[in-house]
Amino acid sequence: MGRRAWGPLLGLAAIILNSCFLLARAQDIPVITKPSQPERGQNVTLTPGGKLNFVLCSWYRERQVETNRILTYVPSLHEQQLGPSFSGRETVGPGCFLHIRNLVLNDTGDYIVTKTVSGGPEQGHAQIEVIVRRVVNTDGNGNVQASKGGIAGIAVGAAVGALLIGVLF
């Protein structure tokens, strides 16, 4: 069998090996999120600490269960094995960093990384909160300009408020 034919088998063996290591207590490692407050449409990178040399690493969304696995990275094979929670926007690379492109609101949540290293497993967590920035229109002098829909909303709100005050008093 050529090297390519062994790839899936070695990957499967690595996942099973990782599962065995996870039975032991994992050492907590930090995970750095850049940018720390990502906005919708931006990219974010999660970089775990811990040992640089690892057999494999896996990323999960919300819980460390197979159905929530985003992907597993086996550096010796330079291979990503996609999991059930893979959206098509995630990539992983050296050091086991997770890069997510074009964030959406559903990307908000807890991310868990597990690394199989000599000496036992490592595990880290990162929380991502995708921020939605409101766009405010201004004129050339920095004055806020309201849209026609915004003005109509203010007018309707004021009329309803006046009506309620008239009815209640």
Side-chain angles (χ1 to χ4, degrees):
M1 290 166 83
R3 180 179 172 176
R4 264 305 204 209
W6 284 103
L9 292 175
L10 289 174
L12 179 61
I15 290 171
I16 292 170
L17 179 64
N18 187 42
S19 300
C20 294
F21 278 121
L22 292 177
L23 295 175
R25 171 81 175 120
Q27 179 177 341
D28 290 331
I29 57 172
V31 177
I32 298 170
T33 305
K34 287 191 180 181
S36 60
Q37 296 181 323
E39 297 179 21
R40 181 175 57 184
Q42 285 186 327
N43 301 335
V44 69
T45 301
L46 307 176
T47 306
K51 295 181 180 176
L52 296 178
N53 292 326
F54 56 94
V55 176
L56 65 90
C57 70
S58 295
W59 281 96
Y60 300 85
R61 263 190 193 86
E62 298 301 330
R63 295 182 330 166
Q64 187 181 337
V65 295
E66 177 58 25
T67 55
N68 291 27
R69 186 171 60 85
I70 301 168
L71 51 78
T72 296
Y73 177 57
V74 183
S76 62
L77 300 175
H78 304 288
E79 186 174 284
Q80 293 186 82
Q81 297 165 349
L82 308 180
S85 286
F86 181 74
S87 74
R89 295 176 293 113
E90 302 91 354
T91 55
V92 69
C96 189
F97 71 79
L98 179 69
H99 184 75
I100 307 172
R101 296 182 318 275
N102 194 23
L103 289 171
V104 296
L105 290 177
N106 285 343
D107 291 325
T108 294
D110 191 32
Y111 288 77
I112 302 147
V113 60
T114 60
K115 290 169 54 178
T116 302
V117 299
S118 64
E122 296 179 335
Q123 181 174 345
H125 296 265
Q127 180 72 32
I128 294 179
E129 182 178 351
V130 179
I131 297 171
V132 178
R133 298 261 187 230
R134 293 199 180 272
V135 177
V136 177
N137 295 326
T138 59
D139 62 14
N141 298 320
N143 300 314
V144 175
Q145 294 180 325
S147 66
K148 291 178 183 177
I151 293 171
I154 292 170
V156 169
V160 169
L163 180 64
L164 283 175
I165 290 174
V167 169
L168 294 175
F169 297 103

